Amino acid sequence: QVQLVESGGGLVQPGGSLRLSCAASGNIFSIRVMAWYRQAPGKQRELVAITFSDASTNYADSVKGRFTISRDNAKNTVYLQMNSLKPEDTAVYYCNIKDRRGLREYAYWGQGTQVTVSS
């Protein structure tokens, strides 16, 4: 089994910053993909940022230039630095990893952490 533990969410004023962390533990083989998703009330879950084992990254247009995803492979941890936060960034943020085992790949989700941007 693989467990993901998220931390770093909270309440922040518009223009502020937060840093989310997600640590993976357990029976991990080779994490190929680490990503952050978010889901706002009444909306579908959407991809926010993603990083691959070659360190390449990709971002949703709505967060480009404000959010930065990074990973520490030695710690099996992914981070999301969020700057210049806006009220529309309010959502539950979930981390997701894809663990490759031979020819198969398994996806795991964190429990979610609430981010609220409000004055």
Side-chain angles (χ1 to χ4, degrees):
Q1 271 288 18
V2 174
Q3 296 81 38
L4 302 182
V5 178
E6 302 171 10
S7 61
L11 172 64
V12 64
Q13 292 186 341
S17 298
L18 282 175
R19 188 190 193 214
L20 306 183
S21 300
C22 174
S25 63
N27 192 18
I28 297 169
F29 277 60
S30 176
I31 299 176
R32 185 181 66 86
V33 174
M34 306 185 90
W36 288 95
Y37 289 73
R38 68 185 180 187
Q39 187 166 19
K43 295 188 176 181
Q44 288 189 335
R45 190 172 297 189
E46 63 173 354
L47 177 64
V48 175
I50 189 168
T51 179
F52 300 90
S53 53
D54 64 358
S56 61
T57 59
N58 215 339
Y59 297 90
D61 288 342
S62 59
V63 307
K64 280 181 181 176
R66 301 188 298 122
F67 290 11
T68 302
I69 189 171
S70 60
R71 62 192 285 174
D72 184 334
N73 291 325
K75 296 181 179 179
N76 290 325
T77 299
V78 61
Y79 306 95
L80 186 68
Q81 178 66 43
M82 305 185 293
N83 299 328
S84 302
L85 282 161
K86 305 175 181 180
E88 51 263 43
D89 295 318
T90 296
V92 178
Y93 284 70
Y94 298 91
C95 69
N96 170 267
I97 69 165
K98 291 181 173 59
D99 186 30
R100 174 169 286 174
R101 305 182 182 191
L103 298 178
R104 300 194 67 176
E105 201 164 67
Y106 298 83
Y108 300 94
W109 291 92
Q111 79 281 4
T113 185
Q114 177 70 46
V115 171
T116 302
V117 184
S118 174
S119 54

